[in-house]
Amino acid sequence: MTNRLPQKTSSTIATLNELAKLANYSLMDTLNCDPDATENGADHAPRQVFTGHYVPVNPTPIKDPEYVAHSKNFFSELGFAESMAESSDFVRMFSGDLSQVPEPMRKVGWASGYALSIYGTEYIQQCPFRTGNGYGDGRAISVLEAVINGRRWEMQLKGGGRTPYCRGADGRAVLRSSIREFLAQEHMHALGVPTSRSLSLYVSKTEKVKRPWYSQGSRSENPDMLISEAVAISTRVAPSFIRVGQLELFARRTRKNEHPKAMEELEKIVLHLIDREYADVVDRQLTTPEKVVLLAREFRSRLTSLVANWIRVGFCQGNFNSDNCAVGGFTLDYGPFGFCDVFNPHYQPWTGGGHHFSFMNQPNAAQSNFGMFCSALRPLLVSNQDYLLALDEIQSGFSKVMHTQMNKMWAAKLGLDLDLDTGTLNTESHQTRCNELIRELETLMMQAPIDYTIFFRELSSIPDDIGPLKKSFYNSLYDNLYNDVADDTDSKELDKYWAEWLEKWKMLLNSSSDANATSPRTSEEISRQMKLVNPKYILREWFVMPAYQQATAGNYSLIRELQDVMTQPYAEQSKELEDKYYRLKPPEFFEVGGLSHLSCSS
């Protein structure tokens, strides 16, 4: 069974042959293959997939692959030798060529289908067949499941070519977007935010595709030119890549009785998910209804914690559809994502995302996805009224749990001592004052306006006055960008409000510390804890753009530098790096396409 894993071994994996011995294909071995699929994986044209959990697909190798980067940290965690990343057989496999992989590795990968819901509404019209049977992994092809050091990992190529779900596209990713995802995944992990991981990144020295993009300095909302870009393949890794949309697909087929095995396939994918992602908390001896209810409760906990963490570090996912929501409770989609520079509740890096996927609306988007998740589970409980009621109760409690997670997050960012079980401060009075303090802070952050990351990092030093905090203020040089909030507020008056807020915060900091601890925390202790919550370095888009621009000329040094800096986001680093990466966004970068907004991930 998938949850019976070998004992942990600490030996180094030095070759692809050694990695091959750890291969264990639980998904292909326990779930249903599409009966219309080809045996050899030559299945690259768009078509409808009516049943089955996966389609065997051969990746399309990129031509003349060249090493760009690998995650040193993740290699170390997996026990991989550094030399593997540039070895010919490893490069061949993870740039899409499975033809020579050692046994028992398989010479074919797989792609999965899923349904699409946007903010709680089911969609089929984006499917080229208008049926919903064409959604799925259009350019993501899993090539390996392996149990490494007692943990199961699935390795998936992003940009590995066409699958039956490609909807007419070319199945490729370009170097620019691959660099963004490669850096972002490892940065998020270092920030302490659950995420898929980056393994490796290779680029073709000869193969290019055309993509719409922005001309230099363009302030257009959508790309205004077509450019030729090198294709690349990055490998992302996770315990599984099962999405809410995947469960939805099988639930829709079950509700509509689309084929005789619809209910069976829904139950199998849910039980497989539990084995892959929740075996440590869901006893496999329980009945299916019992497992389903426990799954819902655990996923609710993970999802609410995840979204609170996103807001803690200033991350906006941008496109939080159900098909971009991993049921393992981690960050999955790194397409039109962004880290906010200026605090703005409505920050949205994706021009097509709208308010519903904006920065501070992410808890509501998560609730919509959780609602679709619960709807997908209901067919499994139709004959168990008590369990249906339990599922309804779990779903209706989402907003309360989300609110508790947000309370914990804000309290941690502000250094306040709270009850970790309830997410509240020690008294109702303290909690009320905390809520008022947060509301005042949000207003002030918009009026200044402030840099979200720099503000909280400076606050973590518990300054005597607002002087250090003003390092985060976008001053008069930026006023023309914020006429609606900045010009109407006298700067001296605003300084007064900030000083009053800072005093209130310090009083609450002292009183909550005194009341919740047998011995009051010192300022140094509070500061140290806050600096473990409020990062100093964030992967801002204007840091990434020069890296992929240089990479197009074969210079990968800035990628390596960003890897080093962004995998130590809470650490104090050299003065040179601080001057380079701990600073306000330059005014000339505001509202520039590709820097402040994106129309697609390509």
Side-chain angles (χ1 to χ4, degrees):
M1 296 298 292
T2 58
N3 60 343
R4 292 179 180 173
L5 304 182
Q7 292 299 307
K8 181 175 180 178
T9 173
S10 57
S11 58
T12 299
I13 300 166
T15 66
L16 192 66
N17 282 302
E18 292 174 3
L19 176 58
K21 295 174 184 176
L22 305 177
N24 186 302
Y25 297 84
S26 72
L27 185 143
M28 288 201 286
D29 288 346
T30 62
L31 297 185
N32 297 359
C33 178
D34 168 31
D36 297 327
T38 62
E39 287 187 13
N40 64 357
D43 204 343
H44 303 109
R47 67 176 177 86
Q48 296 193 73
V49 180
F50 297 100
T51 184
H53 297 101
Y54 69 94
V55 179
V57 184
N58 239 340
T60 305
I62 59 175
K63 298 173 184 176
D64 305 312
E66 178 178 80
Y67 168 84
V68 177
H70 71 284
S71 170
K72 295 180 180 180
N73 290 344
F74 194 39
F75 262 56
S76 176
E77 290 173 38
L78 293 174
F80 286 9
E82 288 279 330
S83 58
M84 278 226 297
E86 297 187 63
S87 64
S88 58
D89 52 358
F90 192 91
V91 172
R92 185 186 304 118
M93 176 176 178
F94 290 102
S95 62
D97 183 356
L98 302 185
S99 64
Q100 299 179 51
V101 297
E103 294 184 350
M105 284 182 176
R106 299 178 184 177
K107 291 179 168 59
V108 66
W110 67 96
S112 300
Y114 39 76
L116 169 66
S117 288
I118 302 176
Y119 211 69
T121 300
E122 296 181 356
Y123 284 83
I124 61 169
Q125 56 264 46
Q126 285 92 336
C127 168
F129 315 104
R130 300 294 190 271
T131 60
N133 292 314
Y135 291 132
D137 294 328
R139 57 174 177 171
I141 301 174
S142 293
V143 294
L144 178 65
E145 260 188 72
V147 178
I148 304 168
N149 291 333
R151 293 191 66 187
R152 181 178 299 280
W153 295 103
E154 182 173 335
M155 300 184 181
Q156 186 175 82
L157 306 184
K158 180 79 173 284
R162 292 183 172 193
T163 79
Y165 304 106
C166 62
R167 289 181 276 166
D170 59 25
R172 288 306 196 197
V174 296
L175 182 60
R176 163 178 48 83
S177 60
S178 300
I179 289 170
R180 291 179 73 245
E181 177 161 331
F182 177 84
L183 291 173
Q185 286 177 141
E186 291 308 284
H187 179 52
M188 287 285 272
H189 176 73
L191 287 167
V193 182
T195 179
S196 51
R197 302 293 300 276
S198 293
L199 185 72
S200 58
L201 173 58
Y202 302 103
V203 65
S204 171
K205 291 185 282 188
T206 56
E207 185 181 352
K208 293 191 174 184
V209 293
K210 289 188 175 179
R211 289 288 190 270
W213 195 240
Y214 300 90
S215 58
Q216 186 73 30
S218 170
R219 280 170 164 72
S220 169
E221 182 171 288
N222 295 309
D224 54 3
M225 62 186 295
L226 203 62
I227 62 174
S228 182
E229 301 188 70
V231 301
I233 288 181
S234 60
T235 298
R236 59 186 181 187
V237 185
S240 82
F241 287 97
I242 300 173
R243 308 152 183 254
V244 170
Q246 246 168 302
L247 305 189
E248 280 187 84
L249 175 65
F250 296 101
R252 291 185 194 183
R253 290 173 176 171
T254 298
R255 290 197 302 265
K256 296 175 183 177
N257 199 25
E258 289 187 357
H259 61 84
K261 291 187 175 181
M263 178 68 86
E264 174 194 315
E265 288 194 339
L266 173 61
E267 183 173 13
K268 286 183 80 170
I269 189 69
V270 170
L271 294 179
H272 180 75
L273 160 70
I274 292 170
D275 277 346
R276 291 282 291 276
E277 299 278 10
Y278 294 90
D280 58 333
V281 289
V282 178
D283 189 334
R284 62 188 306 271
Q285 301 301 322
L286 297 174
T287 64
T288 293
E290 289 172 324
K291 288 181 178 181
V292 165
V293 170
L294 271 176
L295 168 67
R297 184 174 289 112
E298 290 295 328
F299 179 48
R300 182 183 68 180
S301 176
R302 290 190 193 182
L303 183 59
T304 52
S305 175
L306 173 68
V307 172
N309 266 299
W310 283 356
I311 293 173
R312 174 177 65 84
V313 300
F315 177 81
C316 184
Q317 202 266 6
N319 185 19
F320 201 26
N321 299 336
S322 65
D323 61 303
N324 292 328
C325 183
V327 196
F330 56 87
T331 319
L332 174 62
D333 183 58
Y334 288 94
F337 74 91
F339 289 91
C340 64
D341 295 295
V342 178
F343 172 76
N344 179 359
H346 306 302
Y347 168 66
Q348 168 56 275
W350 182 35
T351 56
H355 172 70
H356 49 283
F357 293 144
S358 61
F359 179 50
M360 290 297 289
N361 206 51
Q362 291 181 114
N364 293 328
Q367 184 166 0
S368 295
N369 286 337
F370 189 71
M372 302 311 291
F373 165 81
C374 290
S375 294
L377 298 180
R378 282 196 178 87
L380 300 176
L381 304 177
V382 288
S383 59
N384 295 272
Q385 189 64 28
D386 289 344
Y387 291 110
L388 268 176
L389 291 173
L391 181 64
D392 289 342
E393 185 178 342
I394 291 168
Q395 182 179 349
S396 64
F398 186 93
S399 58
K400 182 179 180 181
V401 176
M402 187 75 249
H403 182 69
T404 297
Q405 293 285 7
M406 291 293 287
N407 278 347
K408 291 181 182 180
M409 182 274 296
W410 284 122
K413 283 186 77 66
L414 292 170
L416 301 173
D417 210 358
L418 80 169
D419 185 325
L420 294 179
D421 293 324
T422 64
T424 59
L425 297 176
N426 56 296
T427 67
E428 186 175 340
S429 172
H430 277 86
Q431 186 63 50
T432 300
R433 289 165 63 194
C434 180
N435 293 339
E436 291 173 352
L437 197 72
I438 292 168
R439 284 195 297 270
E440 289 177 19
L441 178 59
E442 287 186 10
T443 301
L444 285 171
M445 287 194 297
M446 292 180 68
Q447 287 180 328
I450 63 100
D451 186 282
Y452 188 70
T453 299
I454 295 176
F455 172 80
F456 278 104
R457 186 67 180 196
E458 292 300 320
L459 189 70
S460 298
S461 295
I462 314 182
D464 294 328
D465 54 46
I466 66 168
L469 299 182
K470 296 186 81 170
K471 292 180 186 177
S472 68
F473 289 17
Y474 285 89
N475 59 31
S476 57
L477 291 174
Y478 302 76
D479 282 353
N480 62 319
L481 297 167
Y482 296 99
N483 289 328
D484 56 332
V485 292
D487 290 352
D488 294 334
T489 307
D490 180 83
S491 60
K492 290 183 179 178
E493 191 72 11
L494 195 54
D495 283 357
K496 176 187 169 187
Y497 292 145
W498 273 112
E500 290 173 351
W501 181 89
L502 187 65
E503 190 61 31
K504 290 179 187 176
W505 170 65
K506 285 187 175 182
M507 290 175 63
L508 187 57
L509 199 65
N510 292 331
S511 60
S512 67
S513 177
D514 291 346
N516 274 3
T518 53
S519 58
R521 296 177 298 160
T522 65
S523 294
E524 291 76 14
E525 289 170 333
I526 295 171
S527 176
R528 186 166 56 250
Q529 290 170 1
M530 289 179 68
K531 287 179 179 178
L532 295 175
V533 171
N534 297 311
K536 183 159 188 173
Y537 298 102
I538 286 293
L539 190 67
R540 304 170 190 262
E541 201 65 42
W542 47 285
F543 296 159
V544 182
M545 179 179 272
Y548 64 67
Q549 288 175 333
Q550 291 181 20
T552 60
N555 181 355
Y556 307 133
S557 59
L558 193 50
I559 295 174
R560 314 262 159 77
E561 180 174 291
L562 282 170
Q563 272 187 274
D564 290 342
V565 174
M566 298 302 163
T567 52
Q568 303 176 77
Y570 299 99
E572 295 294 337
Q573 303 192 38
S574 71
K575 181 67 165 58
E576 179 186 2
L577 291 175
E578 180 173 326
D579 291 343
K580 189 173 183 179
Y581 295 114
Y582 187 64
R583 60 193 179 100
L584 298 173
K585 182 176 181 177
E588 62 269 23
F589 290 162
F590 280 87
E591 299 179 1
V592 173
L595 280 177
S596 290
H597 57 267
L598 305 164
S599 70
C600 58
S601 58
S602 65

